[in-house]
Amino acid sequence: MEEQACIRLAREGDTEAFRALFEGHRERVFSLAYHYLKNQADAEDVMQETFIKAYHGLPGYKPDKGLNFSSWLNRICVNASIDALRKWRKKDIQSLENEEVSKLSAPSHSSNPETSARNREIREKVDQALNKLSPKQRMIFTMRHYQEYSIREIAEYMDATEGSIKKHLFRAVETLKRRLRRFVMEDGYGL
Amino acid sequence: MDCKTAKSLIILGLYGELDEGEKRDLEEHLRRCSACAAELAETKKVFSLLEENKPAVLPEVDWEKSWDKIRGGIDRRPAKNEQSIFPRWKWAFAGASLALVLGAGIFIGKYGFAPAPKPAIVSIPASSGPTSVQQAFAGYLEDVKPILLDYAHYTPGEKNGRRITVDENILRGLVFQNILLKRKLAEKDPVAAELLDDLDLVLKEITNRGTQDPQSPAGIKDLIVQRDVLFKLEIMKKL
Ligand SMILES: [Zn+2]
């Protein structure tokens, strides 16, 4: 079924039509939340919340206002992710950080234990640096760096000007550089 | 080009976000400036470090289970939002809400007590259809926005201590409208209800703190920023 038809039906309460919309967009929404929150359970929660909010928001969604359905979903997801991170940070950050670090030890490229330990260490440092960013900066950085959305798209999802997105991105990268610079030097990483 | 500009163009350049002119100017600068050339090399190293942190594969998601949860969320009435996080709330609108229950038409004028040239009707007719509620909601957001912007743009320690004043009657009217709109919208539009809750919090905080306390604008600004109220408001307007 064509997306516009699904939207029309879902708006009238047809949950099967909404399911089709969910199936078409779930990976992208989950991926955005996951790259941002870096935690599967939280990302799944945000993904579900995004679709629930979207369903209830559908009667007010107007594609003719220039925002297509997927951008509209991204907006809801961006907002929900930022909210989730805020709540999450309020909790005991330290204990969560440790938990995250162990969770992040995804299968590494190398089976060499030494390399794995080093990769883990890098991940840990990077995560600590990312945690120093404000939720908004982290979102902008995640979208541009890991999700490869353009600045123009990010500005659309965050309803901001491209100039302000550039400014935030610049600050985010500067913060990360400041935090990781020493590690890059010590480690003789590259160069 | 100065080094400061070059530094920001280096980052944008690595993201492929420069136009031809900017690219040329930056390359020109990098040829002449060894400090910025070193900066580029270092930024590249940090980027490759960050790359290591990118999850190579997304974890498996049980989509059926996810859909079941979404399905449940769609059917269920949205959970009531958490109560105000400001328990020190001293707040005297009880009498007013009584008037509301009695169905009294409440009018607010932007010009205080003087006969209002353009009074906004606060009460929403009981028989109102979805469109008029939506319109009332849109109008409400338009009314609140300038107040929020005033606070959001407040800079602490501003020269001469600029004071933001909001007419008490307007505030009161906005709080009433909020209650009415929430009643109308809460069930079918949780996103709107959430925003109304946030706005309610901010408006009450403004009333609560008054406009005399010089610390108050900063505190209210924090609240607006913390809850991302303006961002949500913009999203809502687009929905
Ligand atoms: Zn330079």
Side-chain angles (χ1 to χ4, degrees):
Chain A
M1 206 190 315
E2 194 227 341
E3 185 164 272
Q4 287 311 316
C6 285
I7 293 172
R8 234 181 356 260
L9 288 170
R11 191 182 280 150
E12 286 158 14
D14 184 332
T15 46
E16 275 313 300
F18 189 69
R19 189 187 172 128
L21 293 171
F22 164 72
E23 282 167 6
H25 295 276
R26 61 195 187 186
E27 269 97 0
R28 192 178 39 77
V29 170
F30 174 73
S31 167
L32 177 56
Y34 183 73
H35 279 89
Y36 180 67
L37 295 164
K38 310 184 93 198
N39 169 306
Q40 177 163 9
D42 288 345
E44 284 186 19
D45 282 350
V46 164
M47 184 263 296
Q48 287 153 13
E49 190 188 331
T50 300
F51 282 101
I52 293 168
K53 282 188 172 168
Y55 180 83
H56 291 295
L58 266 181
Y61 167 64
K62 291 180 190 67
D64 49 304
K65 278 194 175 170
L67 204 61
N68 66 34
F69 186 69
S70 106
S71 301
W72 183 69
L73 273 182
N74 270 1
R75 264 199 190 184
I76 299 176
C77 177
V78 162
N79 213 14
S81 302
I82 290 176
D83 273 353
L85 184 67
R86 288 217 175 98
K87 275 182 222 150
W88 187 74
R89 280 191 180 171
K90 272 193 202 145
K91 293 188 213 158
D92 184 0
I93 289 173
Q94 198 50 52
S95 73
L96 274 159
E97 251 175 22
N98 297 339
E99 199 183 307
E100 278 323 284
V101 170
S102 56
K103 266 187 215 160
L104 276 165
S105 46
S108 67
H109 316 291
S110 159
S111 53
N112 179 339
E114 222 169 274
T115 318
S116 303
R118 205 187 70 118
N119 284 350
R120 236 193 336 270
E121 200 191 341
I122 290 171
R123 287 209 171 95
E124 195 177 327
K125 298 245 183 216
V126 172
D127 279 331
Q128 282 166 1
L130 283 171
N131 276 333
K132 297 292 172 211
L133 301 180
S134 77
K136 217 181 247 179
Q137 276 182 10
R138 174 162 161 163
M139 177 53 86
I140 291 166
F141 173 78
T142 302
M143 281 196 282
R144 180 57 265 206
H145 198 93
Y146 291 131
Q147 296 268 274
E148 290 167 34
Y149 286 114
S150 70
I151 286 176
R152 195 185 51 75
E153 287 171 308
I154 299 169
E156 187 179 48
Y157 304 151
M158 300 194 74
D159 207 26
T161 62
E162 290 183 35
S164 95
I165 298 295
K166 280 181 190 170
K167 225 177 274 169
H168 280 297
L169 179 66
F170 178 69
R171 279 194 210 130
V173 174
E174 281 301 305
T175 305
L176 294 172
K177 271 168 67 183
R178 233 183 2 259
R179 301 240 153 220
L180 298 170
R181 178 174 288 147
R182 205 159 50 108
F183 183 67
V184 167
M185 300 300 193
E186 274 170 13
D187 209 56
Y189 203 82
L191 207 81
Chain B
M1 182 188 294
D2 58 19
C3 292
K4 199 176 159 222
T5 313
K7 259 175 114 178
S8 69
L9 290 189
I10 284 171
I11 292 170
L12 294 174
L14 287 173
Y15 286 127
E17 295 269 5
L18 295 185
D19 61 37
E20 284 309 313
E22 289 170 320
K23 225 187 263 174
R24 249 195 331 269
D25 292 348
L26 178 63
E27 277 163 10
E28 173 66 29
H29 182 89
L30 290 173
R31 266 194 293 276
R32 289 183 292 104
C33 178
S34 58
C36 284
E39 184 80 27
L40 170 65
E42 192 189 271
T43 310
K44 276 186 181 166
K45 280 197 288 180
V46 172
F47 268 39
S48 58
L49 200 67
L50 288 164
E51 210 48 42
E52 295 259 341
N53 194 253
K54 184 179 178 168
V57 278
L58 285 178
E60 289 274 327
V61 178
D62 184 342
W63 296 114
E64 275 309 307
K65 213 169 103 194
S66 278
W67 170 251
D68 288 344
K69 286 195 181 156
I70 292 167
R71 192 59 228 263
I74 285 173
D75 293 337
R76 205 180 329 116
R77 231 189 92 148
K80 196 87 195 92
N81 242 344
E82 58 197 288
Q83 283 304 299
S84 166
I85 51 164
F86 294 90
R88 60 198 145 84
W89 181 229
K90 44 177 177 27
W91 158 244
F93 282 126
S97 19
L98 182 67
L100 197 98
V101 172
L102 293 172
I106 300 146
F107 294 83
I108 55 158
K110 298 221 170 195
Y111 309 94
F113 288 110
K118 216 182 107 200
I121 299 170
V122 172
S123 57
I124 302 161
S127 59
S128 56
T131 329
S132 62
V133 177
Q134 284 303 329
Q135 278 166 356
F137 183 47
Y140 177 75
L141 296 183
E142 284 306 313
D143 286 345
V144 190
K145 198 178 168 188
I147 299 176
L148 297 178
L149 284 175
D150 244 7
Y151 280 101
H153 292 153
Y154 175 81
T155 328
E158 244 173 63
K159 256 205 178 132
N160 306 325
R162 182 168 70 101
R163 202 169 264 170
I164 299 171
T165 47
V166 187
D167 187 297
E168 205 182 301
N169 291 304
I170 291 177
L171 273 176
R172 205 185 283 254
L174 289 171
V175 172
F176 290 155
Q177 287 191 60
N178 193 308
I179 298 168
L180 282 166
L181 284 166
K182 222 170 356 189
R183 276 191 202 157
K184 290 281 174 192
L185 288 166
E187 270 177 61
K188 40 185 189 261
D189 195 343
V191 187
E194 195 184 312
L195 176 60
L196 284 168
D197 276 340
D198 286 340
L199 291 172
D200 184 56
L201 206 66
V202 172
L203 292 168
K204 284 178 179 170
E205 193 63 11
I206 296 174
T207 321
N208 194 23
R209 288 181 182 231
T211 44
Q212 299 311 307
D213 173 12
Q215 297 298 316
S216 124
I220 290 156
K221 180 185 180 176
D222 283 350
L223 184 61
I224 293 171
V225 173
Q226 212 182 67
R227 301 189 76 96
D228 243 343
V229 179
L230 283 169
F231 180 54
K232 289 179 187 165
L233 195 131
E234 285 309 317
I235 286 190
M236 189 46 77
K237 272 169 47 190
K238 298 269 159 53
L239 294 181

